[in-house]
Amino acid sequence: MTPDEPGLHGDAHGPRDEHDEATHGAQPLTDVDPADLLRAVDDLAATLREYVGTAVGVRAEFGAREADEDPRVLALETRVATLNAALYDLLHERLGLHSDLTGLTWDGHADDDEQGATAPGEVEAFHLGFAVGPVTGTSDLSMDSVLGILDEGGTEIARRLIDNGFDVPEWGAARGAPVLFEDDEDGS
């Protein structure tokens, strides 16, 4: 499906999103007090230290599999994720940045482009998968209706990507396997 097909641009768009011109505009942002940003980093660092201490202690008591599933470890992982999200939100609200602070990259194993950016004109395939079971109880919906629901969701996702400046030359929904585009079929 291409973004130009009916439905993608045919209905009225709501507000683009919650971005204001001061933080997300083209002008430099001056006189920023970083105190709350640094407090968020300190909170995250303290929780990471607590996580390491707890993980070491739990691992001294249990094997690796049990330690991975220990409620104390899981609770701290949730706190770290929550603090990461809070830091992201704060950087976004205060500076207009869309920071990627939680990705993982090992030395020598980064993408071909060291900056992680795709060259103009290049496209990358992204996939979003769902494992869906049949409707429980009485319903007029069958498993075949799932594809229609995913198609509606795909339209909204493509619209949001385009509204945020991305080029979406094609997208699709499929049942059973990821949608293959021309470049995917020959392995490139």
Side-chain angles (χ1 to χ4, degrees), residues 16-77:
R16 186 165 184 178
D17 54 73
E18 304 292 326
H19 295 159
D20 65 61
E21 187 59 32
T23 57
H24 290 80
Q27 297 302 314
L29 190 59
T30 59
D31 299 326
V32 174
D33 180 4
D36 55 343
L37 298 165
L38 294 173
R39 271 192 302 279
V41 170
D42 290 342
D43 292 345
L44 179 57
T47 304
L48 286 168
R49 284 186 194 89
E50 183 179 352
Y51 177 85
V52 169
T54 299
V56 167
V58 168
R59 190 60 180 93
E61 295 177 44
F62 301 104
R65 176 170 284 152
E66 293 85 1
D68 264 346
E69 297 173 8
D70 188 279
R72 296 166 289 181
V73 170
L74 295 174
L76 283 165
E77 287 174 355

Side-chain angles (χ1 to χ4, degrees), residues 28 59 95 111 145 162 172 174:
R59 190 60 180 93
L95 303 176
D111 292 336
S145 65
I162 291 167

